[in-house]
Amino acid sequence: MNAAPEKTKHGLAAGLEAAPENPDWTIDQGWERYSAEEHGVWKTLFERQSKLLPGRACRAFVEGMQQLPMRADEIPDFRRVSDVLMKHTGWQVVAVPGLVPDDVFFDHLANRRFPAGQFIRKPHELDYLEEPDVFHDVFGHVPMLMNPALADFIQAYGQGGMRAKELGVLDKLARVYWYTVEFGLLQEDGGLRIYGAGIASSRTESLFCLEDPSPNRIRFDLERVMRTRYRIDDFQESYFVIRDLDELLELAQIDFAPIYQRVGQAGDLQPGEVLESDQLFTRGSGDYHRARRAAANASTDADTDAAART
């Protein structure tokens, strides 16, 4: 039996002892050091998402991609990407080894620097990766940074992040980022379109979020989203839909302090929970996650029976 390939940890996942010398965790991208295999992984991912997203991704994503120096045959050079971004929205992409501490992340965003993982996944990890890599960060996120509304919203999120951390409510604010910037949908051309990077960079979730009958698709409501837990290990059970990207700018004008208090008193909601007050685009069947939970329970019962027999 072949052993499973060993997983390499990056950035914060590798521990604080692996932190870069720079206190902001930035490193040299080392573009010249990418191997042919690494460029090949980018090419595979780029080509299949580029074929999949037309008609599924929002116009802002498609237009951003067209304007940026990104192509299928090589991992983008952050310097060239930043030159274009800076001229359009004042943002730049900075290389980091992987996940970074919260305060570092917020400081970068507040100063219009997007920290992007410098590494790329291995060929056997095309469909699932525990840590965000250069494909997720650059292909998924950067095209949307060409849009002024999204660019301003992410800066505002960075500015609000440290305040949320001080108040002990970072988990509530993180849910807003998760259900918008990472896994958000919006209304466009009479249907739903993808703008979240976690979806746009995933072949399977690009299909699941729009076409599978299982998940809920719910009109975005700030307090509702702040109360809703999310999944980090599988498809989302619920997706939240904004009217347009300008709605995100409206959020940036709100004083979140009293909202945090109300949300804390109301309590958390499970990822697939539906409320009577929800405005539903689609009430999901829940079949996908129900089957996953049943399989997990069956596996646990089998392990328990095996242990009892030994």
Side-chain angles (χ1 to χ4, degrees):
M1 180 181 295
N2 294 328
E6 185 176 349
K7 295 181 179 179
T8 302
K9 298 293 185 181
H10 303 87
L12 193 60
L16 288 175
E17 63 276 7
E21 293 182 3
N22 292 334
D24 65 1
W25 283 63
T26 56
I27 59 174
D28 177 44
Q29 183 190 4
W31 187 87
E32 297 80 4
R33 295 191 293 276
Y34 286 122
S35 67
E37 180 181 72
E38 289 171 323
H39 285 300
V41 170
W42 170 274
K43 179 180 174 67
T44 298
L45 294 167
F46 186 100
E47 288 183 338
R48 75 180 190 180
Q49 285 306 103
S50 296
K51 293 175 183 176
L52 190 65
L53 290 177
R56 294 186 174 95
C58 68
R59 281 191 299 273
F61 183 91
V62 175
E63 292 169 359
M65 181 66 72
Q66 291 171 345
Q67 294 170 312
L68 287 164
M70 289 193 208
R71 59 192 196 194
D73 59 349
E74 62 183 20
I75 297 169
D77 186 326
F78 292 2
R79 295 164 293 193
R80 295 180 59 219
V81 171
S82 294
D83 285 344
V84 176
L85 268 180
M86 186 65 70
K87 293 174 183 176
H88 281 77
T89 57
W91 276 80
Q92 60 181 309
V93 180
V94 294
V96 292
L99 293 172
V100 300
D102 289 335
D103 56 342
V104 173
F105 181 66
F106 295 137
D107 184 69
H108 280 306
L109 298 188
N111 289 281
R112 291 191 176 242
R113 298 186 300 264
F114 191 81
Q118 167 264 4
F119 72 99
I120 193 162
R121 66 196 72 181
K122 301 298 183 184
H124 66 274
E125 299 172 312
L126 292 180
D127 288 321
Y128 179 73
L129 189 68
E130 292 180 0
E131 304 172 67
D133 68 344
V134 67
F135 186 76
H136 168 83
D137 283 340
V138 177
F139 183 96
H141 280 286
V142 174
M144 293 301 299
L145 288 174
M146 293 285 283
N147 178 271
L150 199 286
D152 288 350
F153 173 70
I154 295 183
Q155 181 183 27
Y157 178 84
Q159 293 167 340
M162 291 307 296
R163 178 61 175 158
K165 189 174 182 181
E166 292 170 3
L167 294 172
V169 291
L170 186 54
D171 60 328
K172 306 296 189 290
L173 186 63
R175 292 168 184 172
V176 178
Y177 189 88
W178 187 266
Y179 282 121
T180 57
V181 176
E182 289 290 356
F183 290 93
L185 300 176
L186 57 76
Q187 295 174 262
E188 191 173 85
D189 298 332
L192 303 184
R193 298 289 185 270
I194 297 161
Y195 74 95
I199 307 174
S201 60
S202 168
R203 178 181 65 86
T204 51
E205 193 135 14
S206 294
L207 298 171
F208 181 83
C209 73
L210 294 177
E211 299 166 27
D212 198 285
S214 187
N216 304 306
R217 300 169 183 92
I218 305 171
R219 176 73 176 91
F220 182 92
D221 176 84
L222 179 60
E223 295 189 29
R224 165 69 156 100
V225 166
M226 281 188 170
R227 293 178 59 196
T228 307
R229 297 177 182 272
Y230 54 80
R231 303 193 65 93
I232 61 172
D233 59 344
D234 208 334
F235 298 138
Q236 300 309 300
E237 295 187 51
S238 298
Y239 297 91
F240 291 90
V241 183
I242 59 173
R243 178 186 67 248
D244 53 37
L245 293 173
D246 287 339
E247 186 173 353
L248 296 180
L249 277 185
E250 296 169 12
L251 299 181
Q253 311 304 318
I254 296 173
D255 178 7
F256 277 27
I259 299 177
Y260 289 138
Q261 185 174 7
R262 289 198 299 270
V263 167
Q265 293 171 346
D268 287 347
L269 300 169
Q270 294 306 310
E273 195 167 345
V274 175
L275 306 179
E276 288 187 7
S277 57
D278 286 337
Q279 297 181 44
L280 292 170
F281 291 85
T282 307
R283 186 181 189 114
S285 68
D287 288 346
Y288 172 83
H289 289 94
R290 190 178 302 111
R292 297 278 285 182
R293 284 189 284 269
N297 291 337
S299 177
T300 300
D301 291 344
D303 289 343
T304 301
D305 290 344
R309 289 194 297 270
T310 59

